[in-house]
Amino acid sequence: MTSPSNSFTLPTSLEAWKKLENLAQPGVVEHLRDLLIDPERSHAMTVSLHGMELNYSHQRVTTEVMVALAELAQGTQLKEHTQALFAGERVNVSEQRAALHVALRGQGLQHPPWGEAIQAQVGTELARVCRFVDLFESHQLKGFGGEPFTDVVNLGIGGSALGPMTCVQALEGLNQGPSTHARVHFVSNVDAWSLWHTLKGLNPRTTLFVVQSKTFTTQETTLLASSAKRWLVDQGCSEHDLPRHLVAVTARQDLALKQGFLAEQTFHFWDWVGGRYSVWSSIGLPVALAIGAENFKSMLSGARAMDEHFFTAPVLENMPTLMALLGVWNRNFLKAPSHHIATYAYRLRGLTPYIQQLDMESNGKGTHLNANRVQIETAPIVWGGLGIDGQHAYFQLIHQGQHLVPVDFIGVRHDSACPLPLAQEHLRCLQLNMMAQAQAMALGRDESHTRQEMTAQGLSAEAIDALAPHRSFRGNTPSSSLWLQELDAFSLGMLMALYEHKTFVQATLWGINPFDQWGVELGKTMANELAQEGKKPS
Ligand code: F6P
């Protein structure tokens, strides 16, 4: 069965692939310390969008490599696949579903490619979310003691947690001081201590639980919800008042209503929204409660701006496509086994776990769209975290270890939100370290320069002989630097949509389906079987 969605071109069959294999041979592309001598390189290899800048001058590429990568994109019908995605075709071929996360942030578009019916459905649910936020902020939602809710606990896992948590953390600046916004907490792990750690500091009378689950059958989330209800009842909440403390966000409203959730506190999203792509849907309710409806809509607008850019910009000016092509160059041609995300903003501490699910659950695949076994590398291992912490820990391996580890550095140019008096000095320190790490990874320091440095430090010849090899740096580790003007709702929306589209482009290049996740099913099945057999840890 072929359809526009599952037809693809094997990338290795393309002339561009062979060109890239030749270009990747040792010595063909100069060392970064030589490429970076060109004073025009940084400007030529920077793409901007609404203040966001992607500088890929520290990637191991030349114009010839970029042209061949662009040919690869054209040869694998990227444009056609993108049009199919936006038009709501069943691009998720193994589940015969569309993947229309772009429709979730396209309100206000005239003649949307996904059609008026979906446009209306999305608009209705978004209005319900915004209305609920307004009720919360005007103190019309009250707990069993008659007091308005103050705290929200998100119970969910994977896509039902990581996206909302990333946003709430990133936009802390929008929830400062005395505010009508909710204090939002996240519990995803089924370990009782994970729930207790949050509940112990909360007032049950003013705590609202948002149970987030697309399937509404995820074992961990179900148990967390039962435990939360029990906590409320033990703290004096009557069975009658219990539903007031509970909100459901799910594609299975029927299950939620059967379990006693109030219809007016049950929010819906659709099966054509993947869990890891769902933060723009009602799954974003905790975000809207934390930052307000208008800021949530601003986040949607940022994602929309990235959608528009992705849909219209030429390949070599297209931010998501560039990041995807550079990732393919590093993965399939320079053979890097992993990809590192280094965020230089504490508020972005949730971004790496979010991208790990987005990237590895989408593209950690071994079967092509046509069900044939994949013969090329697909998703790299995505790892990372806060760069400042990493440079005092695992960056050692990136600088001097045996692996080639390409890095995305993500930083912020301006921060007007932090109330601390020395905030600008903190920001400067972050920025200098991010720039220095990208430079050190690219340039390295060869042994002759290391010897010169040690001689200048007055070390003896025998000390230099003994130490120089240990203190030299090969360099030539590639990186991209992504700078946000300010970490606000709009730029965060752009950033997260950027990585969604990067993931989609790589899947298109590899001829795989980024929208299913059969690989997570076996473990769940076995856990249920063990439970039914009454197995104990052995
Ligand atoms: O097990 C993986 C997964 O299905 C993810 O794809 C999903 O985001 C997460 O579990 C949670 O699923 P649900 O939202 O249905 O509870």
Side-chain angles (χ1 to χ4, degrees):
M1 170 186 72
T2 58
S3 75
S5 303
N6 68 0
S7 67
F8 75 100
T9 303
L10 205 57
T12 49
S13 67
L14 296 170
E15 193 49 44
W17 188 277
K18 295 174 179 54
K19 262 191 214 173
L20 289 160
E21 284 181 322
N22 294 334
L23 287 166
Q25 293 311 306
V28 176
V29 173
E30 292 174 283
H31 191 289
L32 274 166
R33 67 170 71 98
D34 300 317
L35 292 174
L36 286 165
I37 291 170
D38 174 2
E40 290 308 308
R41 183 179 174 88
S42 185
H43 176 74
M45 292 186 169
T46 294
V47 177
S48 304
L49 179 70
H50 297 294
M52 179 188 279
E53 286 184 352
L54 168 69
N55 182 327
Y56 62 96
S57 60
H58 287 54
Q59 291 285 347
R60 290 170 46 175
V61 293
T62 58
T63 304
E64 199 179 358
V65 171
M66 296 312 296
V67 167
L69 287 169
E71 288 166 4
L72 192 65
Q74 278 135 15
T76 49
Q77 287 92 39
L78 174 59
K79 193 71 190 161
E80 292 79 0
H81 283 270
T82 304
Q83 286 163 346
L85 175 75
F86 278 62
E89 282 193 34
R90 292 179 179 179
V91 292
N92 178 353
V93 291
S94 72
E95 296 179 299
Q96 277 300 293
R97 290 173 180 169
L100 268 175
H101 38 286
V102 292
L104 299 171
R105 59 242 191 170
Q107 287 301 294
L109 255 187
Q110 300 303 320
H111 314 302
W114 45 83
E116 298 303 335
I118 282 178
Q119 190 76 335
Q121 287 176 46
V122 169
T124 301
E125 208 57 25
L126 176 59
R128 292 189 68 227
V129 165
C130 294
R131 170 77 182 130
F132 188 81
V133 173
D134 291 345
L135 288 174
F136 184 100
E137 296 192 339
S138 55
H139 298 159
Q140 295 181 59
L141 298 174
K142 296 182 169 63
F144 68 88
E147 301 159 71
F149 290 120
T150 56
D151 290 81
V152 167
V153 178
N154 185 96
L155 302 177
I157 196 166
S160 295
L162 293 171
M165 185 159 64
T166 298
C167 296
V168 169
Q169 290 174 345
L171 300 176
E172 181 182 351
L174 297 175
N175 190 332
Q176 291 296 317
S179 150
T180 58
H181 298 331
R183 282 191 298 267
V184 180
H185 317 267
F186 291 88
V187 180
S188 55
N189 195 293
V190 76
D191 184 332
W193 284 103
S194 165
L195 181 61
W196 173 243
H197 176 77
T198 292
L199 296 186
K200 70 183 180 185
L202 296 180
N203 174 356
R205 285 169 165 69
T206 61
T207 298
L208 178 70
F209 290 94
V210 179
V211 181
Q212 304 243 69
S213 177
K214 180 175 178 181
T215 59
F216 232 65
T217 58
T218 299
Q219 182 189 46
E220 298 94 330
T221 305
T222 303
L223 181 49
L224 283 171
S226 302
S227 223
K229 290 178 195 171
R230 175 64 183 274
W231 177 74
L232 285 168
V233 169
D234 289 353
Q235 298 287 326
C237 180
S238 68
E239 291 294 338
H240 173 265
D241 286 339
L242 196 53
R244 286 166 34 185
H245 286 258
L246 302 170
V247 171
V249 181
T250 181
R252 293 298 307 273
Q253 275 173 305
D254 55 320
L255 295 182
L257 296 174
K258 268 190 206 139
Q259 292 177 29
F261 286 84
L262 301 172
E264 63 272 25
Q265 295 193 180
T266 299
F267 295 88
H268 180 64
F269 64 108
W270 302 271
D271 67 6
W272 40 261
V273 178
R276 53 193 175 274
Y277 297 88
S278 63
V279 70
W280 324 100
S281 72
S282 302
I283 288 284
L285 175 63
V287 184
L289 287 167
I291 65 174
E294 288 315 304
N295 285 320
F296 182 66
K297 285 189 263 191
S298 175
M299 194 180 97
L300 298 178
S301 300
R304 171 73 209 142
M306 185 57 71
D307 294 344
E308 185 70 23
H309 166 75
F310 172 52
F311 198 77
T312 57
V315 168
L316 293 183
E317 295 162 35
N318 191 303
M319 222 178 259
T321 304
L322 278 168
M323 286 178 68
L325 290 170
L326 292 165
V328 164
W329 170 247
N330 289 326
R331 178 83 179 108
N332 299 94
F333 299 97
L334 300 187
K335 302 298 180 187
S338 75
H339 181 83
H340 187 88
I341 308 284
T343 45
Y344 278 77
Y346 175 72
R347 288 171 292 163
L348 286 177
R349 59 195 182 278
L351 190 69
T352 298
Y354 165 79
I355 295 174
Q356 284 180 312
Q357 183 194 14
L358 175 64
D359 193 306
M360 293 196 277
E361 194 171 74
S362 295
N363 291 346
K365 307 286 173 64
T367 307
H368 280 305
L369 289 165
N370 63 3
N372 288 345
R373 191 90 194 113
V374 172
Q375 302 299 323
I376 51 172
E377 300 87 355
T378 52
I381 296 165
V382 177
W383 61 296
L386 293 171
I388 282 288
D389 299 274
Q391 56 190 59
H392 292 277
Y394 41 74
F395 273 28
Q396 163 63 41
L397 178 140
I398 299 175
H399 283 291
Q400 293 187 324
Q402 297 296 92
H403 298 283
L404 177 68
V405 181
V407 180
D408 284 358
F409 288 102
I410 302 171
V412 179
R413 285 193 188 285
H414 305 292
D415 174 8
S416 53
C418 185
L420 284 179
L422 299 186
Q424 296 312 309
E425 286 184 49
H426 290 259
L427 180 65
R428 186 81 183 120
C429 183
L430 284 166
Q431 291 165 344
L432 290 172
N433 274 284
M434 177 170 148
M435 292 187 284
Q437 287 296 329
Q439 183 173 297
M441 288 178 187
L443 304 183
R445 187 181 63 200
D446 62 22
E447 190 162 326
S448 65
H449 283 90
T450 301
R451 286 177 174 277
Q452 284 168 19
E453 294 241 332
M454 292 166 75
T455 304
Q457 289 163 2
L459 272 73
S460 67
E462 53 274 8
I464 290 172
D465 286 343
L467 277 175
H470 297 284
R471 296 185 59 182
S472 301
F473 294 74
R474 65 174 183 279
N476 221 18
T477 292
S479 68
S480 291
S481 291
L482 205 53
W483 291 99
L484 309 183
Q485 278 306 311
E486 180 103 32
L487 187 46
D488 55 26
F490 189 91
S491 61
L492 180 68
M494 281 202 288
L495 179 65
M496 294 172 82
L498 168 63
Y499 275 92
E500 283 181 345
H501 292 316
K502 174 214 170 179
T503 303
F504 170 74
V505 172
Q506 290 192 327
T508 302
L509 294 168
W510 291 326
I512 59 177
N513 177 3
F515 299 119
D516 61 10
Q517 53 284 321
W518 299 108
V520 299
E521 297 310 314
L522 184 59
K524 294 178 186 178
T525 306
M526 289 186 172
N528 290 331
E529 287 166 357
L530 291 173
Q532 277 146 26
E533 292 162 15
K535 282 280 177 38
K536 298 286 184 206
S538 52

